[in-house]
Amino acid sequence: MSEASTRHTEVKGSGVVQVTGELIATRRAGAYHHLTFVAPGLAELARPGQFVALAVGGDTSANLLRRCFSIHKVSPSGTYGGTVDVVISAVGAGTRWLSTLRAHDEVDIIGPLGRPFPLPKEPVPCVLVGGGYGTAPLFWLAELLRERGCHVEMVLGAATESKLFGVVEARRHADGVSVTTDDGSSGTKGWVSDVLPAVIRRTGAAVVYGCGPMGMLKSVTDVAAAEGAVAQVAVEESMACGVGVCMTCVMPVTGKDGTTRMVRSCVEGPVFRGDRVRWDAFSDGLCTVPADAVGAPRVGGH
């Protein structure tokens, strides 16, 4: 392991570090890539639902913006020190570059970022719902919930079998697992929202956690509300900086006072109560500003 990978800088009082992380393992996981980095100081601070922002392209790259990924799991101690795992889908220039890294390559990492999943104070039944590689942060969450005495079930969905992530791992971390695929190539043919009501009723779940595409999170929120459960969802809004500066990931969320505000999903999120997200503002992958949101444009201008 190189000396550089032991260097890290902590942003005082923030619970965030910037570290040169050394890649110590890379492997395929179906349609995805599973990467493990040594990240001193980061693993000890992280909680399920938080994410990391990785610099991509190397020192001479024109890719100025980082790529943000949910933390799959951490190991605060080990042979090389604390490690952090992420799961990526190589679809763009940045993620394709990450997928080509080899052992001992180094990446600048900032994290842990964002707000984590809240954990129930009492041991209550919980259902964890993931779509595609959005399932990645839910296994670590399942571990902590079961340590608290919660009954945990997982519902994993994807378009097709190759796009599922962690089905075998889910069976090790949960008391029960349901699988859906759009094309019926694995599990039940259909969406996670097709099987979720029955799982909630059977378990008496009080909390439903979700991570995946925004359309899926809306349906998970709707089902949870209909079944009398609280939804906690980690949103997948595009993040350019990951630290609250660029304002590209703003989305409308209703506060406890009933007022809708445009908030940064990288700072105020990525985890929100599902019933507070203004799902009506999302359409065809785009988010608009609701007319009743604070600061919304008014007819006629200023």
Side-chain angles (χ1 to χ4, degrees):
M1 189 170 109
S2 68
E3 179 184 354
S5 63
T6 66
R7 296 199 302 264
H8 73 277
T9 303
E10 183 168 359
V11 181
K12 188 174 181 181
S14 70
V16 175
V17 299
Q18 182 173 4
V19 57
T20 302
E22 181 179 343
L23 182 68
I24 58 170
T26 177
R27 49 215 176 270
R28 288 300 298 265
Y32 311 114
H33 295 264
H34 181 169
L35 310 177
T36 302
F37 294 93
V38 177
L42 193 158
E44 293 81 358
L45 297 168
R47 298 292 181 270
Q50 292 185 298
F51 64 96
V52 290
L54 277 58
V56 298
D59 293 340
T60 61
S61 172
N63 293 312
L64 300 179
L65 301 177
R66 292 174 179 264
R67 301 297 186 271
C68 297
F69 303 100
S70 295
I71 298 172
H72 173 39
K73 61 184 177 181
V74 297
S75 175
S77 61
T79 303
Y80 302 106
T83 61
V84 59
D85 289 44
V86 297
V87 179
I88 69 170
S89 178
V91 295
T95 47
R96 285 197 300 268
W97 179 83
L98 286 168
S99 72
T100 66
L101 296 178
R102 296 294 177 260
H104 308 302
D105 287 342
E106 293 177 340
V107 174
D108 189 89
I109 304 172
I110 296 177
L113 299 169
R115 296 176 58 192
F117 287 114
L119 301 178
K121 293 183 174 138
E122 302 293 332
V124 297
C126 301
V127 181
L128 282 52
V129 186
Y133 73 111
T135 306
L138 299 181
F139 306 103
W140 182 19
L141 173 63
E143 278 187 41
L144 296 189
L145 290 171
R146 293 183 81 186
E147 286 174 4
R148 288 172 171 247
C150 298
H151 177 90
V152 174
E153 302 237 354
M154 298 185 76
V155 180
L156 312 184
T160 189
E161 184 176 21
S162 65
K163 295 294 183 70
L164 290 166
F165 175 76
V167 175
V168 173
E169 188 174 0
R171 293 188 174 118
R172 292 197 300 265
H173 287 83
D175 298 295
V177 179
S178 302
V179 174
T180 70
T181 50
D182 296 0
D183 62 3
S185 54
S186 181
T188 301
K189 183 176 182 178
W191 297 343
V192 294
S193 54
D194 295 331
V195 303
L196 183 57
V199 176
I200 295 175
R201 291 171 199 158
R202 175 170 52 78
T203 61
V207 186
V208 178
Y209 295 94
C211 185
M214 296 297 275
M216 187 205 84
L217 297 182
K218 178 186 183 303
S219 66
V220 165
T221 298
D222 291 344
V223 170
E227 299 297 333
V230 174
Q232 297 285 353
V233 298
V235 300
E236 284 195 347
E237 275 296 274
S238 296
M239 300 178 189
C241 74
V243 294
V245 175
C246 69
M247 308 298 286
T248 60
C249 66
V250 292
M251 55 182 281
V253 175
T254 302
K256 292 181 181 179
D257 59 0
T259 300
T260 296
R261 298 175 178 83
M262 300 301 290
V263 304
R264 299 162 297 178
S265 57
C266 67
V267 175
E268 283 80 15
V271 177
F272 296 98
R273 267 188 61 142
D275 58 1
R276 296 216 173 120
V277 176
R278 289 287 300 272
W279 300 109
D280 58 305
F282 295 88
S283 178
D284 296 326
L286 299 175
C287 177
T288 58
V289 180
D292 60 344
V294 174
R298 301 287 183 238
V299 175
H302 297 290

